[in-house]
Structure formats: C-alpha cells, structure tokens
Amino acid sequence: MKPKHRSGFVSILGRPNAGKSTLLNAIVGSKVAIVSSKPQTTRTSVQAVWTQPGSQVVFLDTPGIHEAKLLLHKKMMDAVRDALNERDLLLWVADASADSAAGDLKALEVIRGRTTPLILVLNKVDQVRHKARLLPLIEQYRQAADFAEVIPLSALTGEGLSDLTGAILRTIPEGPNYFPEDHLTDQPERFLAAELIREAVLDLTRQEVPHAVAVLVDKWEEKGRVTRILATVYVEREGQKRIIIGAGGAMLKEIGTRARKQIGALLGGNPYLELFVKVQPDWRANAAFLNELDWRMMTGGGTQ
Ligand SMILES: Nc1nc2c(ncn2[C@@H]2O[C@H](COP(=O)(O)OP(=O)(O)OP(=O)(O)O)[C@@H](O)[C@H]2O)c(=O)[nH]1
Ligand SMILES: [Mg+2]
C-alpha cells in the first residue's frame, strides 16, 4: 500500500544565535532567512515551505526569545507567540556547545503549558569534540520540558540533519499540500533584498551598530534584464551613520558589493544597487516607523 501523504506546520524556536535560521536554510536548501554571528538577527517570522514526494512541511523561523525592552523587541516577541498557535510540531533549537541548559530555562517559559509535540534540536555539534558531554545537557533539558525527541545535529555541516527531517516527517499528520510544489517562501523579493543588505551590515559592523540598523527598499525597477534597486540603511545616530559610510565611503561600498552579490544570486543576474544612509533617531521605539517597516515587509513594497 502506498504511504499516506503527510503535511504540517512546524515552528522553529529558541534563543538568539542558536542557529534557527541556519537550520531553516539547511532544511529547505535555499537561503530564505539571513544569518549572522550577532544575536537578534531575525526580526520577523519567516515562512518557508519544504516539499518532497509524499510530504510538505511549512516551517516558520522566529526571532530569538529574549527580554523585550524596546517596542521592536516586543514586536519580535509577538511574532514568537504568534508562531505557537495551530502548529503540528515545535522545534526548540539550542546550542549544544553551551556548558549547561541554564540559559534556556527562562526562554522555555514561552512554551510552558502547550501540548504541541516538541523536539529538542541540539545544534552546533560540530563544536562538541566529546559527544558524551551532550548527555548531562540532554538530561537538563529533559527535566525542563517534555521533549518527544532529542536530535543532535549541525545546521552548518549538515551532520544529523536527516535524523531531524525523519523525525519531523514521522510526527506531522496525514494531509495534503497546502502550497504549490514549487512554492518556497511568503517573503517578497524586495523584503529578501532588504534583509540581504542588512546581513551585509551585520557582517561588517560591531557592537551596537548591527542592532540599530533597519533597511528599506525605496525603489525597485526592472529595466530590460537589469533590476535597479534603491535602498536606505537607517541608523539611530549620526555616529552610526559615519560608521556605516566609513572613511571616504569605503564601508558603504563594501556593504553594497556584498549585498549585490547575494541579491544577484537570489534574482539570478547582476542587479544595480544604490544605498543611502539616514538617521532615524530611536526608530526601535518608534511605532510609526516600525509600522512602516511591517507594512513594507508585508507588501514587499517600496514607495512605488
Ligand atoms: N559551528 C556552528 N555554527 C553554527 C551552526 N548553526 C549556526 N551557526 C552559527 O551561529 C550563528 C547564529 O546563526 P543564526 O542562524 O543566525 O541563529 P538564529 O538562531 O537564527 O539567531 P537569531 O535570528 O538572532 O535568533 C551564525 O554565526 C551561524 O553561522 C552550527 O551547526 N555550527
Ligand atoms: Mg535567525
């Protein structure tokens, strides 16, 4: 008898920097979410669909769970809570190279009382030389929450990834495809482009600058075979603007070069990219500005 078709909705949760977005990209085999070594990289939920013969999984990557201080952080935590409802499975991603589970205990409060099946993904095992070290860590997690399975893996190298996808496919229910087979993500290209610009900024800047950066695409034009993109990098203070521009504009040029390569890979081609830098004081606490970010992300729209 032919096995029944399976499908389900799976959210990826955990603290900042655990490797949630890296994991999502590894599973779907495509860069749908930006990744960086700085915590709080992901700011909105990112949906990506993984379709295989006989199954379809709709993943939701979420911002890292942290204490919300600014309005931006509250919105990020709203996105986490929204990702908990009507799910078939939750993946809790944790850093296997951490000395203990203590850092995750408070964050795990977010899912307390839920009955949705939960899998612990112990990520970054490539950084753990002696695998026996994982055993006490697993025990601590098992005491903190009711994990149906524990899967050590490396989202970076792919080690153990098929154990996780196997476990996911065993857990999700029978069901149809919810999306066309070739559908990958709900994110408009413009939003992805803005995110890739932000990723370049995160890679190249340090300390408070990465956290103070937002990117909006202002204009997106298809001219023959060339896509022309104008985007603004927002920061909160003049000093940050100087850092982003760099001596003689060198930093902005480097950001543009990196982002253009990534956007070119996304769109297939060689886009034209022009970047501007503006100061928007305290935008992370500014409801109107955050709404504009949300709105443009949802519609993928620039001003035209
Ligand atoms: N060594 C190693 N590094 C990893 C692995 N997975 C992710 N990383 C690194 O961990 C850092 C954080 O990865 P992200 O995927 O951005 O983490 P995240 O959980 O999405 O972080 P937020 O969006 O800030 O919540 C990056 O520098 C990744 O390259 C892994 O399996 N092994
Ligand atoms: Mg992320």
Side-chain angles (χ1 to χ4, degrees):
M1 207 175 76
K2 213 170 147 233
K4 294 266 171 33
H5 192 280
R6 289 179 177 270
S7 58
F9 292 83
V10 178
S11 288
I12 306 175
L13 306 158
R15 284 200 301 148
N17 231 27
K20 301 177 293 299
S21 303
T22 308
L23 178 66
L24 176 67
N25 292 341
I27 295 174
V28 301
S30 186
K31 183 160 181 172
V32 286
I34 62 165
V35 164
S36 91
S37 59
K38 318 285 191 304
Q40 299 179 11
T41 296
T42 303
R43 290 183 178 155
T44 53
S45 293
V46 168
Q47 181 185 287
V49 180
W50 183 56
T51 307
Q52 297 285 289
S55 67
Q56 182 171 76
V57 187
V58 184
F59 288 98
L60 204 57
D61 180 24
T62 63
I65 296 167
H66 63 288
E67 206 183 319
K69 290 190 185 125
L70 295 166
L71 186 60
L72 170 68
H73 303 140
K74 294 197 170 84
K75 281 175 166 267
M76 285 160 69
M77 286 305 294
D78 285 346
V80 172
R81 281 184 285 267
D82 286 349
L84 297 175
N85 296 323
E86 290 164 44
R87 305 278 99 186
D88 296 296
L89 174 63
L90 304 176
L91 304 182
W92 186 270
V93 182
D95 186 344
S97 67
D99 288 334
S100 85
D104 271 18
L105 295 185
K106 189 152 184 266
L108 275 163
E109 291 286 320
V110 170
I111 53 166
R112 188 169 299 278
R114 299 217 165 243
T115 52
T116 317
L118 183 62
I119 289 179
L120 174 63
V121 177
L122 281 180
N123 188 30
K124 309 196 185 184
V125 286
D126 55 292
Q127 297 210 315
V128 181
R129 198 175 298 165
H130 303 292
K131 300 289 188 266
R133 273 200 49 223
L134 295 178
L135 297 174
L137 193 63
I138 291 171
E139 190 47 40
Q140 288 175 32
Y141 276 102
R142 284 213 183 273
Q143 304 218 332
D146 190 12
F147 293 102
E149 301 202 36
V150 178
I151 314 245
L153 58 76
S154 168
L156 202 62
T157 67
E159 177 190 350
L161 197 63
S162 58
D163 295 339
L164 176 63
T165 50
I168 293 170
L169 295 177
R170 278 197 303 277
T171 311
I172 58 171
E174 285 171 16
N177 282 351
Y178 295 104
F179 292 92
E181 274 177 32
D182 60 353
H183 177 89
L184 177 62
T185 174
D186 59 346
Q187 298 177 90
E189 279 178 346
R190 290 174 202 222
F191 172 67
L192 266 170
E195 285 286 88
L196 291 169
I197 297 165
R198 193 163 65 85
E199 186 181 60
V201 177
L202 295 182
D203 279 348
L204 292 166
T205 61
R206 289 181 301 141
Q207 292 170 344
E208 94 287 359
V209 180
H211 297 291
V213 166
V215 178
L216 283 175
V217 168
D218 303 310
K219 207 167 194 178
W220 185 287
E221 285 173 347
E222 311 281 347
K223 281 203 169 153
R225 285 168 54 193
V226 178
T227 307
R228 186 167 173 269
I229 303 164
L230 307 190
T232 302
V233 177
Y234 289 90
V235 287
E236 293 197 315
R237 293 204 298 273
E238 284 296 334
Q240 295 162 347
K241 178 174 170 177
R242 280 197 294 277
I243 291 170
I244 299 282
I245 292 173
M251 176 63 100
L252 193 61
K253 195 161 171 235
E254 173 78 21
I255 292 167
T257 305
R258 284 199 186 201
R260 199 163 60 83
K261 264 193 212 138
Q262 292 279 326
I263 297 170
L266 170 76
L267 302 175
N270 209 356
Y272 169 87
L273 176 64
E274 196 168 343
L275 297 177
F276 304 88
V277 187
K278 281 192 193 152
V279 176
Q280 175 78 41
D282 296 327
W283 66 260
R284 285 177 290 174
N286 179 334
F289 186 83
L290 290 172
N291 283 341
E292 188 180 351
L293 273 183
D294 272 355
W295 182 80
R296 290 219 228 167
M297 280 171 190
M298 273 186 298
T299 59
T303 45
Q304 40 200 296

